[in-house]
PDB file of all heavy atoms in Angstrom:
ATOM      1  N   ILE A 284       7.419   5.167 -22.427  1.00 97.00           N
ATOM      2  CA  ILE A 284       6.449   4.132 -22.091  1.00 97.00           C
ATOM      3  C   ILE A 284       5.099   4.545 -22.699  1.00 97.00           C
ATOM      4  O   ILE A 284       4.937   5.693 -23.120  1.00 97.00           O
ATOM      5  CB  ILE A 284       6.320   3.930 -20.566  1.00 97.00           C
ATOM      6  CG1 ILE A 284       5.941   5.240 -19.870  1.00 97.00           C
ATOM      7  CG2 ILE A 284       7.607   3.353 -19.989  1.00 97.00           C
ATOM      8  CD1 ILE A 284       5.680   5.089 -18.379  1.00 97.00           C
ATOM      9  N   PRO A 285       4.120   3.649 -22.741  1.00 97.00           N
ATOM     10  CA  PRO A 285       2.836   3.971 -23.369  1.00 97.00           C
ATOM     11  C   PRO A 285       2.034   5.005 -22.576  1.00 97.00           C
ATOM     12  O   PRO A 285       2.366   5.330 -21.432  1.00 97.00           O
ATOM     13  CB  PRO A 285       2.109   2.620 -23.400  1.00 97.00           C
ATOM     14  CG  PRO A 285       3.168   1.602 -23.239  1.00 97.00           C
ATOM     15  CD  PRO A 285       4.215   2.231 -22.373  1.00 97.00           C
ATOM     16  N   PRO A 290      -2.555  -1.289 -20.283  1.00 97.00           N
ATOM     17  CA  PRO A 290      -1.954  -2.377 -19.503  1.00 97.00           C
ATOM     18  C   PRO A 290      -0.460  -2.185 -19.242  1.00 97.00           C
ATOM     19  O   PRO A 290       0.017  -2.413 -18.126  1.00 97.00           O
ATOM     20  CB  PRO A 290      -2.226  -3.614 -20.373  1.00 97.00           C
ATOM     21  CG  PRO A 290      -3.489  -3.273 -21.088  1.00 97.00           C
ATOM     22  CD  PRO A 290      -3.386  -1.809 -21.394  1.00 97.00           C
ATOM     23  N   ASP A 291       0.290  -1.766 -20.259  1.00 98.00           N
ATOM     24  CA  ASP A 291       1.725  -1.592 -20.061  1.00 98.00           C
ATOM     25  C   ASP A 291       2.046  -0.366 -19.217  1.00 98.00           C
ATOM     26  O   ASP A 291       3.114  -0.301 -18.598  1.00 98.00           O
ATOM     27  CB  ASP A 291       2.445  -1.504 -21.408  1.00 98.00           C
ATOM     28  CG  ASP A 291       2.730  -2.884 -21.998  1.00 98.00           C
ATOM     29  OD1 ASP A 291       2.344  -3.888 -21.355  1.00 98.00           O
ATOM     30  OD2 ASP A 291       3.321  -2.958 -23.089  1.00 98.00           O
ATOM     31  N   SER A 292       1.153   0.616 -19.182  1.00 98.00           N
ATOM     32  CA  SER A 292       1.358   1.754 -18.281  1.00 98.00           C
ATOM     33  C   SER A 292       1.274   1.298 -16.827  1.00 98.00           C
ATOM     34  O   SER A 292       2.086   1.701 -15.990  1.00 98.00           O
ATOM     35  CB  SER A 292       0.321   2.844 -18.543  1.00 98.00           C
ATOM     36  OG  SER A 292       0.413   3.879 -17.568  1.00 98.00           O
ATOM     37  N   ALA A 294       1.877  -1.697 -15.792  1.00 98.00           N
ATOM     38  CA  ALA A 294       3.074  -2.501 -15.553  1.00 98.00           C
ATOM     39  C   ALA A 294       4.275  -1.601 -15.279  1.00 98.00           C
ATOM     40  O   ALA A 294       5.083  -1.882 -14.383  1.00 98.00           O
ATOM     41  CB  ALA A 294       3.349  -3.402 -16.764  1.00 98.00           C
ATOM     42  N   ALA A 295       4.392  -0.489 -16.017  1.00 98.00           N
ATOM     43  CA  ALA A 295       5.508   0.435 -15.816  1.00 98.00           C
ATOM     44  C   ALA A 295       5.448   1.088 -14.441  1.00 98.00           C
ATOM     45  O   ALA A 295       6.482   1.325 -13.811  1.00 98.00           O
ATOM     46  CB  ALA A 295       5.505   1.500 -16.911  1.00 98.00           C
ATOM     47  N   LEU A 298       6.739  -1.460 -12.092  1.00 98.00           N
ATOM     48  CA  LEU A 298       8.177  -1.592 -12.307  1.00 98.00           C
ATOM     49  C   LEU A 298       8.933  -0.446 -11.636  1.00 98.00           C
ATOM     50  O   LEU A 298       9.997  -0.659 -11.043  1.00 98.00           O
ATOM     51  CB  LEU A 298       8.471  -1.618 -13.807  1.00 98.00           C
ATOM     52  CG  LEU A 298       9.941  -1.727 -14.214  1.00 98.00           C
ATOM     53  CD1 LEU A 298      10.556  -3.019 -13.692  1.00 98.00           C
ATOM     54  CD2 LEU A 298      10.072  -1.648 -15.739  1.00 98.00           C
ATOM     55  N   LEU A 423       3.213 -11.200 -13.750  1.00 97.00           N
ATOM     56  CA  LEU A 423       4.670 -11.218 -13.734  1.00 97.00           C
ATOM     57  C   LEU A 423       5.219 -11.271 -15.158  1.00 97.00           C
ATOM     58  O   LEU A 423       6.192 -10.584 -15.493  1.00 97.00           O
ATOM     59  CB  LEU A 423       5.161 -12.417 -12.920  1.00 97.00           C
ATOM     60  CG  LEU A 423       6.679 -12.506 -12.696  1.00 97.00           C
ATOM     61  CD1 LEU A 423       7.176 -11.330 -11.876  1.00 97.00           C
ATOM     62  CD2 LEU A 423       7.031 -13.820 -12.014  1.00 97.00           C
ATOM     63  N   GLU A 424       4.590 -12.069 -16.004  1.00 97.00           N
ATOM     64  CA  GLU A 424       5.039 -12.191 -17.387  1.00 97.00           C
ATOM     65  C   GLU A 424       4.880 -10.857 -18.123  1.00 97.00           C
ATOM     66  O   GLU A 424       5.757 -10.452 -18.902  1.00 97.00           O
ATOM     67  CB  GLU A 424       4.241 -13.283 -18.105  1.00 97.00           C
ATOM     68  CG  GLU A 424       4.502 -14.687 -17.600  1.00 97.00           C
ATOM     69  CD  GLU A 424       3.831 -14.973 -16.258  1.00 97.00           C
ATOM     70  OE1 GLU A 424       2.891 -14.224 -15.880  1.00 97.00           O
ATOM     71  OE2 GLU A 424       4.260 -15.937 -15.588  1.00 97.00           O
ATOM     72  N   GLN A 425       3.776 -10.174 -17.876  1.00 97.00           N
ATOM     73  CA  GLN A 425       3.537  -8.889 -18.528  1.00 97.00           C
ATOM     74  C   GLN A 425       4.557  -7.845 -18.092  1.00 97.00           C
ATOM     75  O   GLN A 425       5.106  -7.099 -18.909  1.00 97.00           O
ATOM     76  CB  GLN A 425       2.123  -8.399 -18.209  1.00 97.00           C
ATOM     77  CG  GLN A 425       1.784  -7.041 -18.815  1.00 97.00           C
ATOM     78  CD  GLN A 425       0.501  -6.471 -18.246  1.00 97.00           C
ATOM     79  OE1 GLN A 425      -0.243  -7.148 -17.542  1.00 97.00           O
ATOM     80  NE2 GLN A 425       0.239  -5.206 -18.536  1.00 97.00           N
ATOM     81  N   LEU A 426       4.826  -7.791 -16.783  1.00 97.00           N
ATOM     82  CA  LEU A 426       5.778  -6.805 -16.282  1.00 97.00           C
ATOM     83  C   LEU A 426       7.177  -7.077 -16.830  1.00 97.00           C
ATOM     84  O   LEU A 426       7.876  -6.148 -17.248  1.00 97.00           O
ATOM     85  CB  LEU A 426       5.784  -6.812 -14.753  1.00 97.00           C
ATOM     86  CG  LEU A 426       6.558  -5.673 -14.092  1.00 97.00           C
ATOM     87  CD1 LEU A 426       5.949  -5.305 -12.748  1.00 97.00           C
ATOM     88  CD2 LEU A 426       8.029  -6.064 -13.873  1.00 97.00           C
ATOM     89  N   ASN A 427       7.594  -8.320 -16.839  1.00 97.00           N
ATOM     90  CA  ASN A 427       8.932  -8.636 -17.344  1.00 97.00           C
ATOM     91  C   ASN A 427       9.038  -8.395 -18.844  1.00 97.00           C
ATOM     92  O   ASN A 427      10.085  -7.962 -19.343  1.00 97.00           O
ATOM     93  CB  ASN A 427       9.294 -10.080 -16.999  1.00 97.00           C
ATOM     94  CG  ASN A 427       9.613 -10.254 -15.522  1.00 97.00           C
ATOM     95  OD1 ASN A 427      10.076  -9.322 -14.872  1.00 97.00           O
ATOM     96  ND2 ASN A 427       9.354 -11.435 -14.984  1.00 97.00           N
ATOM     97  N   ALA A 428       7.955  -8.649 -19.569  1.00 97.00           N
ATOM     98  CA  ALA A 428       7.962  -8.346 -21.006  1.00 97.00           C
ATOM     99  C   ALA A 428       8.049  -6.836 -21.228  1.00 97.00           C
ATOM    100  O   ALA A 428       8.751  -6.368 -22.138  1.00 97.00           O
ATOM    101  CB  ALA A 428       6.706  -8.907 -21.660  1.00 97.00           C
ATOM    102  N   ALA A 429       7.356  -6.067 -20.388  1.00 97.00           N
ATOM    103  CA  ALA A 429       7.400  -4.609 -20.517  1.00 97.00           C
ATOM    104  C   ALA A 429       8.795  -4.070 -20.224  1.00 97.00           C
ATOM    105  O   ALA A 429       9.268  -3.136 -20.889  1.00 97.00           O
ATOM    106  CB  ALA A 429       6.377  -3.977 -19.576  1.00 97.00           C
ATOM    107  N   SER A 430       9.468  -4.641 -19.234  1.00 97.00           N
ATOM    108  CA  SER A 430      10.814  -4.166 -18.910  1.00 97.00           C
ATOM    109  C   SER A 430      11.765  -4.403 -20.077  1.00 97.00           C
ATOM    110  O   SER A 430      12.609  -3.549 -20.390  1.00 97.00           O
ATOM    111  CB  SER A 430      11.332  -4.845 -17.640  1.00 97.00           C
ATOM    112  OG  SER A 430      11.536  -6.237 -17.843  1.00 97.00           O
ATOM    113  N   LYS A 431      11.640  -5.535 -20.746  1.00 96.00           N
ATOM    114  CA  LYS A 431      12.479  -5.809 -21.914  1.00 96.00           C
ATOM    115  C   LYS A 431      12.147  -4.874 -23.073  1.00 96.00           C
ATOM    116  O   LYS A 431      13.026  -4.445 -23.827  1.00 96.00           O
ATOM    117  CB  LYS A 431      12.292  -7.259 -22.363  1.00 96.00           C
ATOM    118  CG  LYS A 431      12.921  -8.314 -21.467  1.00 96.00           C
ATOM    119  CD  LYS A 431      12.720  -9.693 -22.049  1.00 96.00           C
ATOM    120  CE  LYS A 431      13.509 -10.758 -21.266  1.00 96.00           C
ATOM    121  NZ  LYS A 431      13.021 -10.910 -19.888  1.00 96.00           N
ATOM    122  N   LYS A 432      10.867  -4.552 -23.206  1.00 96.00           N
ATOM    123  CA  LYS A 432      10.406  -3.754 -24.332  1.00 96.00           C
ATOM    124  C   LYS A 432      10.745  -2.275 -24.190  1.00 96.00           C
ATOM    125  O   LYS A 432      11.098  -1.609 -25.180  1.00 96.00           O
ATOM    126  CB  LYS A 432       8.894  -3.922 -24.501  1.00 96.00           C
ATOM    127  CG  LYS A 432       8.317  -3.190 -25.694  1.00 96.00           C
ATOM    128  CD  LYS A 432       6.830  -3.487 -25.832  1.00 96.00           C
ATOM    129  CE  LYS A 432       6.235  -2.788 -27.044  1.00 96.00           C
ATOM    130  NZ  LYS A 432       4.788  -3.095 -27.204  1.00 96.00           N
ATOM    131  N   TYR A 433      10.653  -1.749 -22.960  1.00 97.00           N
ATOM    132  CA  TYR A 433      10.758  -0.295 -22.784  1.00 97.00           C
ATOM    133  C   TYR A 433      12.065   0.177 -22.156  1.00 97.00           C
ATOM    134  O   TYR A 433      12.450   1.325 -22.356  1.00 97.00           O
ATOM    135  CB  TYR A 433       9.574   0.213 -21.951  1.00 97.00           C
ATOM    136  CG  TYR A 433       8.252  -0.105 -22.597  1.00 97.00           C
ATOM    137  CD1 TYR A 433       7.362  -1.011 -22.022  1.00 97.00           C
ATOM    138  CD2 TYR A 433       7.899   0.492 -23.806  1.00 97.00           C
ATOM    139  CE1 TYR A 433       6.154  -1.310 -22.625  1.00 97.00           C
ATOM    140  CE2 TYR A 433       6.687   0.196 -24.425  1.00 97.00           C
ATOM    141  CZ  TYR A 433       5.818  -0.708 -23.823  1.00 97.00           C
ATOM    142  OH  TYR A 433       4.629  -1.014 -24.435  1.00 97.00           O
ATOM    143  N   LEU A 434      12.754  -0.669 -21.416  1.00 96.00           N
ATOM    144  CA  LEU A 434      14.029  -0.245 -20.832  1.00 96.00           C
ATOM    145  C   LEU A 434      15.145  -0.475 -21.846  1.00 96.00           C
ATOM    146  O   LEU A 434      16.056  -1.283 -21.657  1.00 96.00           O
ATOM    147  CB  LEU A 434      14.303  -1.004 -19.534  1.00 96.00           C
ATOM    148  CG  LEU A 434      13.322  -0.732 -18.389  1.00 96.00           C
ATOM    149  CD1 LEU A 434      13.731  -1.504 -17.136  1.00 96.00           C
ATOM    150  CD2 LEU A 434      13.203   0.753 -18.088  1.00 96.00           C
ATOM    151  N   VAL A 435      15.058   0.253 -22.944  1.00 95.00           N
ATOM    152  CA  VAL A 435      15.957   0.090 -24.081  1.00 95.00           C
ATOM    153  C   VAL A 435      16.808   1.348 -24.224  1.00 95.00           C
ATOM    154  O   VAL A 435      16.285   2.458 -24.281  1.00 95.00           O
ATOM    155  CB  VAL A 435      15.157  -0.160 -25.380  1.00 95.00           C
ATOM    156  CG1 VAL A 435      16.104  -0.299 -26.564  1.00 95.00           C
ATOM    157  CG2 VAL A 435      14.284  -1.399 -25.232  1.00 95.00           C
TER     158      VAL A 435
END
Side-chain angles (χ1 to χ4, degrees):
I284 57 175
D291 277 1
S292 173
L298 179 61
L423 185 64
E424 293 75 18
Q425 178 192 350
L426 190 150
N427 287 331
S430 67
K431 287 183 172 65
K432 183 176 181 179
Y433 301 113
L434 295 182
V435 179

